[in-house]
Amino acid sequence: MSEGIKAFGARFAGRVDAEKLRFAIEYVDYGESGLAFETIRDYIVEEDAPISEEEYRLAVEIFNDYGGKWGAFSIEQMKELIVKGDGSAS
């Protein structure tokens, strides 16, 4: 799952500040995969980064794999950032 979180974060290169993204992904290397995911998710929401429906589904899957204890609000906020094929957010 740790590599999955790194891969998830890497998807947002160019949409989330590179330094913030690197910082968040580094948590995985210190055994803090859950914190890495939470931080990535927070940065996506803070920067209003557009996401695909696939990326949203992946975020929900990771969230559920970690027990869905913290950050349900950010998951809901991410849903608002989904960009459809025509380029409009839903």
Side-chain angles (χ1 to χ4, degrees), residues 50-81:
I51 66 171
S52 68
E53 290 182 17
E54 177 188 351
E55 289 166 336
Y56 178 73
R57 283 192 299 270
L58 183 56
V60 170
E61 182 180 308
I62 294 170
F63 177 74
N64 290 334
D65 285 349
Y66 275 97
K69 295 179 184 174
W70 301 282
F73 184 67
S74 326
I75 289 290
E76 284 304 310
Q77 288 178 309
M78 285 179 73
K79 192 173 191 175
E80 297 172 13
L81 299 172

Side-chain angles (χ1 to χ4, degrees), residues 11-87:
R11 288 173 166 257
F12 294 92
R15 290 181 276 169
V16 172
D17 178 80
E19 186 64 24
K20 286 181 174 181
L21 205 51
R22 183 194 58 75
F23 173 78
I25 292 171
E26 280 183 355
Y27 279 126
V28 172
D29 296 331
Y30 296 100
E32 295 288 347
S33 296
L35 182 57
F37 177 64
E38 287 179 40
T39 306
I40 292 164
R41 203 178 56 221
D42 288 345
Y43 289 154
I44 291 166
V45 170
E46 286 172 12
E47 295 190 22
D48 290 324
I51 66 171
S52 68
E53 290 182 17
E54 177 188 351
E55 289 166 336
Y56 178 73
R57 283 192 299 270
L58 183 56
V60 170
E61 182 180 308
I62 294 170
F63 177 74
N64 290 334
D65 285 349
Y66 275 97
K69 295 179 184 174
W70 301 282
F73 184 67
S74 326
I75 289 290
E76 284 304 310
Q77 288 178 309
M78 285 179 73
K79 192 173 191 175
E80 297 172 13
L81 299 172
I82 296 173
V83 175
K84 302 273 185 202
D86 65 0

